[in-house]
Amino acid sequence: MSNETIRIAIQKSGRLTEKTLQILKQSGLEFNLSNNVLFSQCEAFPVELMLVRDDDIPEYVADGICELGFVGFNVLQEKILKKGQSPDNIPILKHLGYGNCRLSLAISKEEEYTGLNYFNGKKIATSYPKSLGEYFAKNDINAEIIEISGSVEVTPKLKIADAICDIVSSGATLKGNNLKEVDKILDSESILVKTPKELKPEQEQTIDRLLARLEGVMKSQRNKYIMMNADKDSLARIKEILPGVDEPSVMPLAGDDGRVAVHLVCEENVFWETMENLKSVGASSILVLPIEKFIS
Ligand code: PRT
Ligand code: ZN
């Protein structure tokens, strides 16, 4: 590996894999992942990917085997608690806005939930014993935590546990197993983590470049480019309707002294109502376009 090359750990095969490869691709980093490879070199950027189970990513990054890792916050939190480490040991560089889910407590639909005290003296099955243990300790709940590695949701039915603590996104799995979510203990999304080990200055530069690109991708996904024609004197009202915009570009319209072309980048969602409001202050030919790349 050259001085500037960094190794990034990502999930080999799972819920985060496709989105992680997609955000890297949008950042200009493409990989040839045929033949079930474990490592893959990027040609256009000094990065090597290492494809592993998500549970192993925090440790690879903490140990400096990989300089960066893409992983769910839920997995990071559980590993940090397991190792009794400080969260500073694996700094989070970025929250990535995909892989959103929550770690929640759920009980049988038929049971009446009486608040967190309900769990006192109960058996709770989970793959996140440390996160749950910490939550219960913080809230003075005395429960038996049973560590289960998969299919946690079937344990109440099998009378292995009274309740579960598991990852929820749509809630369909809970519903399908006659369970109801009663308390959330953690919000999670995919994050980018960095090794605490000292890196070469060239590697730090590679990380800075990658971060700027990731930021650009995320910003372009959030933002929209809006074009419209409007009366010169309606600019202030247009800006009121579109909060979070930078100063718009204003250009003359050929053959019309009173009206101008207005171009701007908007961070907020642009709904049909927003466009109707723009029309009501005199804007016309309103176009809302996606942005492919963005560097500010
Ligand atoms: O093989 P490897 O160890 O790498 O993968 P894994 O099986 O441990 O993880 P994987 O691929 O299932 O999930 C990877 C990460 O995706 C998790 O650590 C979370 O950060 C994130 N994520 C987002 C989810 C979900 N959504 C999710 N819905 N992880 C798991 N689920 C499961 C959950 O465990 C439950 O079984 O989906 C079910 C609930 O989903 P809903 O939509 O029915 O509520
Ligand atoms: Zn896993």
Side-chain angles (χ1 to χ4, degrees):
M1 296 217 297
S2 71
N3 272 349
E4 56 180 4
T5 301
I6 56 164
R7 187 178 288 140
I8 306 180
I10 73 163
Q11 190 184 23
K12 183 172 179 351
S13 167
R15 285 167 197 267
L16 300 182
T17 309
E18 193 185 327
K19 283 268 175 63
T20 303
L21 288 171
Q22 186 188 337
I23 198 171
L24 287 170
K25 185 174 175 185
Q26 288 168 321
S27 305
L29 281 68
E30 285 205 60
F31 299 89
N32 181 0
L33 295 176
S34 53
N35 303 330
N36 214 8
V37 291
L38 292 183
F39 293 95
S40 181
Q41 203 84 36
C42 178
E43 293 199 353
F45 205 82
V47 157
E48 179 180 72
L49 272 198
M50 183 165 142
L51 295 110
V52 293
R53 287 201 57 194
D54 66 347
D55 314 72
D56 298 332
I57 293 173
E59 208 153 332
Y60 283 133
V61 175
D63 293 347
I65 292 167
C66 296
E67 282 75 29
L68 298 181
F70 287 77
V71 69
F73 179 68
N74 51 311
V75 172
L76 177 74
Q77 155 100 347
E78 182 68 16
K79 292 289 164 186
I80 282 175
L81 291 172
K82 200 167 191 167
K83 294 239 156 192
Q85 290 167 334
S86 143
D88 301 341
N89 198 46
I90 313 183
I92 299 174
L93 292 188
K94 212 163 208 15
H95 289 79
L96 297 160
Y98 64 89
N100 296 68
C101 56
R102 52 198 186 273
L103 184 60
S104 284
L105 283 156
I107 64 173
S108 166
K109 251 183 213 158
E110 283 81 43
E111 288 278 313
E112 191 194 339
Y113 185 59
T114 48
L116 259 192
N117 281 336
Y118 172 91
F119 294 103
N120 269 320
K122 296 270 194 323
K123 281 187 198 165
I124 328 291
T126 187
S127 310
Y128 294 84
K130 297 294 174 193
S131 303
L132 180 59
E134 192 202 40
Y135 185 71
F136 277 165
K138 213 167 60 193
N139 289 287
D140 279 332
I141 302 294
N142 219 325
E144 184 185 343
I145 297 174
I146 305 171
E147 185 170 356
I148 301 265
S149 57
S151 299
V152 169
E153 63 279 358
V154 301
T155 55
K157 193 176 173 178
L158 300 175
K159 306 274 183 252
I160 296 170
D162 303 305
I164 68 164
C165 175
D166 199 11
I167 298 291
V168 182
S169 57
S170 69
T173 303
L174 293 183
K175 211 170 162 195
N177 286 282
N178 203 37
L179 297 167
K180 63 180 174 191
E181 186 177 359
V182 292
D183 195 33
K184 179 180 76 179
I185 74 170
L186 186 79
D187 275 312
S188 180
E189 65 182 300
S190 181
I191 51 171
L192 178 64
V193 288
K194 184 184 176 194
T195 186
K197 306 279 179 207
E198 197 176 329
L199 302 182
K200 299 178 193 118
E202 295 88 343
Q203 289 180 307
E204 293 285 1
Q205 273 172 18
T206 303
I207 291 175
D208 287 346
R209 275 177 72 204
L210 177 60
L211 275 178
R213 290 191 186 192
L214 289 171
E215 181 56 36
V217 171
M218 291 173 68
K219 209 164 176 181
S220 66
Q221 283 167 353
R222 278 196 308 270
N223 293 1
K224 295 279 175 283
Y225 192 80
I226 307 177
M227 304 196 289
M228 71 193 97
N229 295 341
D231 289 337
K232 270 183 186 162
D233 56 13
S234 61
L235 282 177
R237 275 174 292 162
I238 287 173
K239 279 167 68 180
E240 268 170 35
I241 295 169
L242 296 168
V245 296
D246 285 338
E247 278 306 308
S249 306
V250 180
M251 290 151 279
L253 276 179
D256 190 341
D257 282 348
R259 286 175 73 75
V260 285
V262 182
H263 290 198
L264 40 81
V265 173
C266 180
E267 274 200 29
E268 303 290 317
N269 267 329
V270 180
F271 300 106
W272 285 108
E273 288 76 17
T274 319
M275 294 173 74
E276 285 160 3
N277 290 340
L278 289 169
K279 198 163 171 7
S280 73
V281 298
S284 62
S285 303
I286 308 162
L287 274 181
V288 179
L289 306 169
I291 296 173
E292 196 183 302
K293 295 189 175 66
F294 192 109
I295 291 188
S296 55

